[in-house]
Amino acid sequence: MKARKGFSLVETIFTVSIIGFIIIVMLNILPGALTGVRKTGHRIRAGAIARSILEEKRAGPFSGIDMAPPAQVTDPDGSVYDVGYEVLTQAGTNTAKLKGIKITVSWKERKLTQTLQRITWISNIPK
C-alpha cells in the first residue's frame, strides 16, 4: 500500500479550530491592552506637565513662585489637561524664605475625571 500524503479532514478541522480559538482570545485581550496604554500615556503626560511647571518655578526667581502657570495644556493628540496651581505656606515659617507649590493636573478619560498631584517646597536660602 502506498503512504498517504497530506492531512486528513479531521486534522485540518482540529488545526483550524485551534487557530480560531487563539485569534478570538487575542481579539478579546486587545481592547483592554489599548485602554491600558492610553491610560498610561495620559498619566505620563500629566506627570510631565506637572514636572515641567515645578522645574520652571525652581529655576526662576523666588518672587516668581506666586505667578500661576497656564490653566490648560492641550496635547498634540487633542487631549486637554486642566492645571491647578496653589502656593502653600507652613505655619510658623517665614514666607519670604519657604514656600510650597502644589500642582494638580486633571483630564477626562472615558467620562471620568482623573487627577494627578505633585507638591514641592522651595526655599530662598542665599548660596
Side-chain angles (χ1 to χ4, degrees):
M1 230 164 121
K2 288 182 167 181
R4 293 183 312 153
K5 292 184 178 182
F7 299 106
S8 70
L9 181 60
V10 173
E11 291 170 333
T12 305
I13 290 173
F14 183 72
T15 304
V16 169
S17 63
I18 288 177
I19 291 172
F21 178 75
I22 291 171
I23 289 173
I24 289 171
V25 168
M26 295 302 286
L27 289 176
N28 284 331
I29 291 173
L30 189 62
L34 292 176
T35 300
V37 168
R38 189 172 35 256
K39 282 182 178 182
T40 302
H42 283 301
R43 188 160 291 283
I44 288 171
R45 180 66 180 137
I49 291 168
R51 269 192 310 280
S52 70
I53 293 170
L54 290 174
E55 289 302 320
E56 180 183 309
K57 295 301 178 179
R58 280 189 196 126
F62 191 75
S63 59
I65 290 176
D66 295 325
M67 294 186 298
Q72 278 190 341
V73 176
T74 304
D75 220 8
D77 70 353
S79 300
V80 177
Y81 297 88
D82 296 317
V83 179
Y85 183 80
E86 184 180 348
V87 177
L88 308 172
T89 57
Q90 193 169 8
T93 61
N94 184 354
T95 58
K97 298 220 184 253
L98 180 67
K99 290 183 183 177
I101 300 172
K102 180 167 94 172
I103 304 290
T104 305
V105 181
S106 57
W107 66 97
K108 290 276 189 191
E109 190 173 290
R110 291 188 168 208
K111 299 181 183 178
L112 296 173
T113 302
Q114 303 291 326
T115 304
L116 178 123
Q117 286 188 344
R118 296 289 185 257
I119 299 173
T120 191
W121 290 88
I122 300 174
S123 61
N124 187 21
I125 299 173
K127 296 176 182 176

